[in-house]
Amino acid sequence: MIRKLVAGTAEEERCPSIAWGVLQDGVLTDGEATDTVYRIASMTKRFTAAIVLWLRGEGAWSLDDPVAGHARELTAVRSPEGSPPITIGQLLSMSSGLATDDAWADRHLDISPAEIDRIYAAGPTFACRPGEAYEYSNLGYAMLGRIVFRSTGRHLQTLVTQRILQPLGMDDTTWVQPAHERWARPHRVQDGQIVPDREDPLGDGEIAPMGGLWTTVADLAKWVAWLDAPAPAPAFRHEMQRIHTYQGITELAGHRSPAGYGYGLNVRDDAVLGPVVAHSGGLPGYGSNMRWVRGRGIGAIALANVT
């Protein structure tokens, strides 16, 4: 059944390849191409959120702190007139009001500090007042990376590697294009045909905290198992998987359920399954998705190499 579903999706979406895996009791029990590396785009956000919460637990900040208090250059990011300044927690939960910027951010992962500082200085656009509504912002997660750097003197990418990737044995997960040949090349659909996308994928940069990681299904299975494990592992894992910004009622497979954004994760209170935690990712040449039923050790991961 699953293999039929994968084959049908590959044909319908014109995917040159799909790597996939199924988790049961937190263990990868079935799958294909689970050690092939793909870029996972916005699925990176949960790693960024974990580091921000980890540092919060060490006293680096409160989630109610204005962002400018931890990175002076963000003082120029002014909320709409009459609104309070945006906070770290609002950036995490997609409630800062910063306007959605998907297409732009996807193509600027490798932006330099000087270039993004000019964007901050110019004053980013707001779609609504901070705290009022859900509004997906990649730039907000770039700001989180800058706050981490200003407060610790280390890049968020370094902390993710040291505190998450290495301890969990996620050896195939990197911030840069793999040096080996075991990675799926990016593709796109042009004039009805599948053609290669750029041969030199964007490198690591200031926007990478929102979507820069490369990884495999096998490595992501370790990450899901850690996030969904019971106590006494870090309590912030479960905090990430609770709704902090309400999105509304969504319909999936005929089920209407309330949904929202946690910290780096989407959460749907499914009428049949219970809380389902997920996030997708998309960049030129790649698409990805992973989800699990919270607290039950059941999940699925799929990575593909087409826009």
Side-chain angles (χ1 to χ4, degrees), residues 2-305:
I2 295 175
R3 284 172 170 76
K4 183 178 180 181
L5 176 63
V6 172
T9 301
E11 181 177 3
E12 181 180 350
E13 302 295 339
R14 302 180 184 183
C15 302
S17 70
I18 297 180
W20 63 274
V22 173
L23 289 87
Q24 186 171 357
D25 296 326
V27 177
L28 196 61
T29 59
D30 198 3
E32 293 179 330
T34 59
D35 64 348
T36 300
V37 176
Y38 293 76
R39 202 163 207 178
I40 61 168
S42 287
M43 284 164 54
T44 302
K45 288 182 174 68
R46 69 197 65 184
F47 293 87
T48 294
I51 292 300
V52 171
L53 293 170
W54 209 322
L55 294 171
R56 184 274 312 268
E58 295 175 356
W61 43 61
S62 163
L63 297 191
D64 293 329
D65 288 354
V67 299
H70 296 279
R72 191 184 331 175
E73 57 270 38
L74 299 182
T75 304
V77 182
R78 298 185 182 278
S79 303
E81 186 174 353
S83 302
I86 58 176
T87 68
I88 293 173
Q90 288 169 342
L91 294 181
L92 279 175
S93 62
M94 299 297 181
S95 60
S96 69
L98 289 166
T100 298
D101 51 8
D102 284 345
W104 173 81
D106 291 348
R107 289 156 178 79
H108 289 84
L109 282 172
D110 61 347
I111 195 169
S112 70
E115 290 172 319
I116 204 167
D117 280 350
R118 285 194 286 272
I119 292 169
Y120 295 146
T125 300
F126 281 77
C128 59
R129 296 176 182 275
E132 276 192 354
Y134 170 82
E135 182 76 15
Y136 194 85
S137 171
N138 291 299
L139 185 63
Y141 268 68
M143 290 181 189
L144 291 172
R146 177 59 67 86
I147 289 167
V148 168
F149 178 70
R150 291 298 183 210
S151 297
T152 68
R154 290 177 288 175
H155 290 288
L156 180 136
Q157 292 93 316
T158 300
L159 292 175
V160 167
T161 300
Q162 293 175 343
R163 295 194 177 201
I164 298 174
L165 306 184
Q166 292 175 347
L168 292 181
M170 297 176 66
D171 299 330
D172 282 323
T173 305
T174 63
W175 292 96
V176 296
Q177 178 181 318
H180 54 72
E181 289 300 310
R182 193 171 27 89
W183 64 282
R185 272 56 176 179
H187 291 77
R188 57 190 167 87
V189 178
Q190 179 176 303
D191 300 326
Q193 302 295 317
I194 300 172
V195 299
D197 205 278
R198 56 185 300 158
E199 296 181 0
D200 55 337
L202 295 177
D204 187 27
E206 283 285 306
I207 295 186
M210 78 84 183
L213 278 174
W214 301 75
T215 191
T216 66
V217 169
D219 271 10
L220 287 173
K222 299 174 184 177
W223 175 230
V224 172
W226 185 79
L227 283 172
D228 198 42
F236 67 73
R237 297 168 306 126
H238 298 160
E239 188 179 0
M240 292 170 63
Q241 300 175 63
R242 296 197 300 267
I243 292 175
H244 296 284
T245 302
Y246 183 62
Q247 293 172 332
I249 301 295
T250 61
E251 184 168 340
L252 185 63
H255 306 156
R256 288 175 55 81
S257 308
Y261 204 82
Y263 293 145
L265 291 163
N266 288 293
V267 184
R268 189 178 80 254
D269 189 9
D270 190 272
V272 175
L273 298 175
V276 175
V277 184
H279 212 293
S280 60
L283 279 171
Y286 296 99
S288 54
N289 201 301
M290 63 189 298
R291 57 191 57 223
W292 61 94
V293 183
R294 193 177 71 198
R296 291 174 56 186
I298 300 170
I301 303 165
L303 312 176
N305 60 331

